[in-house]
Amino acid sequence: MNNNNNYNRWNNNGGGNRYQQAPPPPPRQPYQQQQNPNDEQGDKKPQHRRTVDYFGPMGKRMIASNVYNRRRARQPMGHIRPEMSYFTYLLPPSKEQPTVVDVATKFVHVSTNKAKHAIHAIKWTPDAKRVLVSSYSGEFTVWNGLTFNFESIMQAHDSPIFAVEYSHDGDWLISGDQEGTIKYWEPNFNNVNILPKCHDNAIQDLSFSPNDSKFISCSDDQMLKIWNFSTAQEERVLKGHHWDVKCCDWHSSLGLVVSGSKDNLVKLWDPRDATCITTMHDFKHTVAKVRFQKIGNERLLAACSRDHSTRVFDIRTMKPLVAIRMNNDTDLSGIAWHPIHSSILTIGGYDGSMSTYDLKRAIEPEIVMASGPDAVQSQSPFATGNLKDTHVQNITESLHTIPYAHDKAIYTMEYHPLGHLLCTAGADKSLRFWCRARPNDPHGFKDTAYTGESWAEKQQHFGGGGDYRYGSPEEEPQEEVRVPQPQPVLPGFSIPGLS
């Protein structure tokens, strides 16, 4: 019966058109933003997420290197003037421009999970688009490296994760936890292998060999172990430390392994026969981090300790060249080499402060910045064979200092492969991003990283959400303010935090 009625309606329709045009939708009403009754102005300001876009500077770098070099008379790029509009002419970090330009001084964003836990290891993914964070809860969290927003989270281990490491080719990821277990992961975080009870205690650090065929692990059981990555079999055991081994690293081009321990010793090992080459007795407290120089002449070794000092060693002479002491006399917990400038070293402390040093001020530039074996032989005095007794140079003034970078200890830090971003994480259960400052930024010294005002108070004052906002000028910090040291000013260029 209903079918007949429908047929009659269609048959009696004006022209018999079966598909009639739908009536036009009602006009849209303008969006009325809900008013906050507690807001005196009656409207809420929109919150914008900060973004550090590196595509523009990379395009300008390609134009400068390809177009200008083809001309007979090379057209100079000019200097960036101390004006915000000149920010678009800022090129990506490079060896040609001064190191002071590429120092990470500006706070960008703070990222925290809903369930907050201490962070002991972070790594940039091989494509350099995301940051992998391993927390004390055994979870992997992935954050976007462009817009700094949350992407994914997964339960990777059943116990706290203290070490993660990508292979040099970017095809594999290994992680170690508190129970001594090592897991193999693919870049898409597919778990392919589990090595239970590799150590009797927590695994503190991991590092791959130059050809990714082997990797080394260190643990609180006073041992280091060399593993065959393909067969997942233990090959050698490095014994010699008398306490917990806190850190290790494998040289990027040499068969050389370094380790730092709670017994205040730094040891260099030969991974072929598991023998100790030399032992350095230069520290008076626990060695927290050791890292080889990844670029330049790759002959420097940096180690930081809880005796308030960081020392840079020359692995050709097995002697320290530089002793760095921070002005606030705090225990040191993390170090990171700059990926572009081989003389830049960033150090993090247990009080949450972060300082950047330029080693060219104390070491001959040829030793730090040589880019190959030929350059080392022709420029470095250490390659002539006439090695003289070099005195340890003391550095007390930093290139730049952020006194309140974190609320608590900084456990780990990692530079972006392009050098324009720096990630830091630690005991305050947050991941923070830092970038290069803008020219003539009026808020260069007005954020909480320099004034010491509580981050929680800022977020509560501006409604939370993880996005940082500047406060009113009338707000006074409740803690004592440590004024950064004055820094050199480049001609025609001004960066907040560096002048």
Side-chain angles (χ1 to χ4, degrees):
M1 188 68 182
N2 294 333
N3 294 333
N4 293 334
N5 292 335
N6 293 335
Y7 175 79
N8 293 333
R9 290 196 196 94
W10 171 79
N11 194 24
N12 296 330
N13 190 6
N17 187 8
R18 184 174 182 179
Y19 301 99
Q20 295 184 2
Q21 186 176 4
R28 288 187 177 183
Q29 300 294 332
Y31 173 74
Q32 299 292 338
Q33 191 174 15
Q34 296 181 358
Q35 295 183 357
N36 188 359
N38 298 328
D39 195 350
E40 298 179 357
Q41 299 179 356
D43 56 351
K44 186 177 181 181
K45 296 182 180 179
Q47 294 184 357
H48 302 282
R49 180 176 294 276
R50 291 187 176 182
T51 301
V52 179
D53 188 3
Y54 54 87
F55 296 104
M58 291 300 297
K60 292 183 180 297
R61 167 63 65 185
M62 296 180 63
I63 294 175
S65 59
N66 296 332
V67 178
Y68 293 157
N69 289 340
R70 294 177 183 176
R71 302 179 181 178
R72 295 182 179 178
R74 182 177 179 181
Q75 181 178 356
M77 290 294 295
H79 296 285
I80 299 180
R81 304 301 178 187
E83 174 59 36
M84 190 64 70
S85 59
Y86 282 84
F87 179 69
T88 57
Y89 297 97
L90 184 63
L91 297 178
S94 64
K95 299 179 181 178
E96 290 78 13
Q97 59 191 15
T99 57
V100 69
V101 179
D102 299 329
V103 178
T105 63
K106 183 66 177 178
F107 169 76
V108 182
H109 191 266
V110 55
S111 302
T112 56
N113 291 347
K114 291 184 178 179
K116 297 181 180 181
H117 298 277
I119 300 173
H120 288 270
I122 57 175
K123 285 291 178 182
W124 285 94
T125 56
D127 57 4
K129 295 181 180 179
R130 298 168 182 86
V131 182
L132 174 65
V133 178
S134 62
S135 63
Y136 196 83
S137 61
E139 296 175 336
F140 279 164
T141 309
V142 180
W143 298 88
N144 190 288
L146 181 65
T147 57
F148 315 111
N149 60 304
F150 168 82
E151 288 199 355
S152 64
I153 188 172
M154 61 173 293
Q155 188 70 36
H157 287 255
D158 297 331
S159 59
I161 304 174
F162 290 151
V164 293
E165 183 70 19
Y166 275 100
S167 60
H168 293 88
D169 55 12
D171 294 338
W172 296 99
L173 170 70
I174 55 176
S175 59
D177 61 12
Q178 192 178 26
E179 296 179 354
T181 302
I182 297 178
K183 291 188 178 183
Y184 287 26
W185 306 86
E186 291 181 343
N188 58 355
F189 302 106
N190 179 30
N191 186 213
V192 296
N193 196 5
I194 301 177
L195 308 181
K197 294 298 179 181
C198 296
H199 287 270
D200 297 334
N201 213 323
I203 297 176
Q204 296 291 342
D205 208 351
L206 297 167
S207 182
F208 271 97
S209 64
N211 58 359
D212 294 334
S213 62
K214 307 177 189 302
F215 68 91
I216 189 170
S217 61
C218 68
S219 171
D220 288 343
D221 60 2
Q222 306 178 13
M223 292 186 297
L224 296 94
K225 294 184 179 181
I226 297 178
W227 304 81
N228 189 305
F229 180 78
S230 301
T231 62
Q233 298 294 325
E234 176 187 322
E235 290 190 349
R236 293 175 181 84
V237 179
L238 310 182
K239 295 183 179 180
H241 284 288
H242 308 292
W243 215 339
D244 303 349
V245 183
K246 293 298 183 182
C247 50
C248 65
D249 194 16
W250 200 315
H251 198 278
S252 58
S253 59
L254 300 177
L256 188 63
V257 172
V258 64
S259 62
S261 173
K262 199 174 180 180
D263 58 4
N264 312 343
L265 301 180
V266 175
K267 289 180 176 289
L268 291 172
W269 307 82
D270 186 352
R272 296 171 296 181
D273 53 4
T275 58
C276 179
I277 300 175
T278 184
T279 302
M280 303 176 184
H281 304 264
D282 296 276
F283 294 103
K284 300 179 181 179
H285 211 295
T286 304
V287 180
K289 288 289 182 181
V290 288
R291 288 294 180 265
F292 282 112
Q293 187 184 24
K294 303 298 183 183
I295 58 174
N297 57 19
E298 299 182 2
R299 297 298 185 268
L300 297 181
L301 167 66
C304 66
S305 171
R306 296 191 64 177
D307 63 357
H308 311 165
S309 68
T310 299
R311 296 180 184 270
V312 179
F313 301 88
D314 191 338
I315 62 177
R316 292 167 290 186
T317 61
M318 303 300 178
K319 294 181 180 180
L321 297 178
V322 173
I324 301 173
R325 289 189 175 274
M326 300 181 68
N327 296 328
N328 50 1
D329 290 336
T330 180
D331 299 347
L332 304 182
S333 54
I335 54 177
W337 290 94
H338 197 279
I340 305 298
H341 299 282
S342 58
S343 63
I344 294 297
L345 183 65
T346 303
I347 306 172
Y350 271 86
D351 61 347
S353 62
M354 183 172 61
S355 300
T356 302
Y357 296 85
D358 190 359
L359 301 182
K360 290 187 299 182
R361 296 183 176 184
I363 307 178
E364 297 181 10
E366 293 82 3
I367 301 177
V368 183
M369 303 177 60
S371 58
D374 297 336
V376 172
Q377 294 178 4
S378 60
Q379 298 177 5
S380 175
F382 293 91
T384 60
N386 299 324
L387 299 180
K388 300 180 180 180
D389 294 335
T390 57
H391 298 284
V392 180
Q393 300 291 332
N394 294 322
I395 298 180
T396 57
E397 295 184 1
S398 61
L399 188 64
H400 184 77
T401 299
I402 304 177
Y404 304 98
H406 281 259
D407 296 335
K408 296 181 181 179
I410 300 176
Y411 288 152
T412 178
M413 52 181 59
E414 187 83 8
Y415 271 100
H416 190 278
L418 292 178
H420 71 290
L421 281 178
L422 173 64
C423 297
T424 58
D428 60 354
K429 307 174 184 179
S430 66
L431 170 69
R432 295 181 181 177
F433 295 87
W434 310 86
C435 71
R436 298 179 296 169
R438 299 179 179 181
N440 197 24
D441 189 355
H443 302 288
F445 283 128
K446 293 184 180 180
D447 57 4
T448 60
Y450 296 97
T451 61
E453 189 175 356
S454 174
W455 294 85
E457 294 177 0
K458 281 287 186 182
Q459 293 178 357
Q460 293 176 2
H461 180 73
F462 292 99
D467 288 336
Y468 174 77
R469 291 292 179 271
Y470 295 109
S472 60
E474 293 78 10
E475 295 179 353
E476 295 293 338
Q478 298 179 358
E479 301 179 5
E480 182 182 357
V481 177
R482 294 199 298 265
V483 181
Q485 297 294 329
Q487 306 297 340
V489 181
L490 294 179
F493 196 93
S494 176
I495 295 183
L498 299 179
S499 59

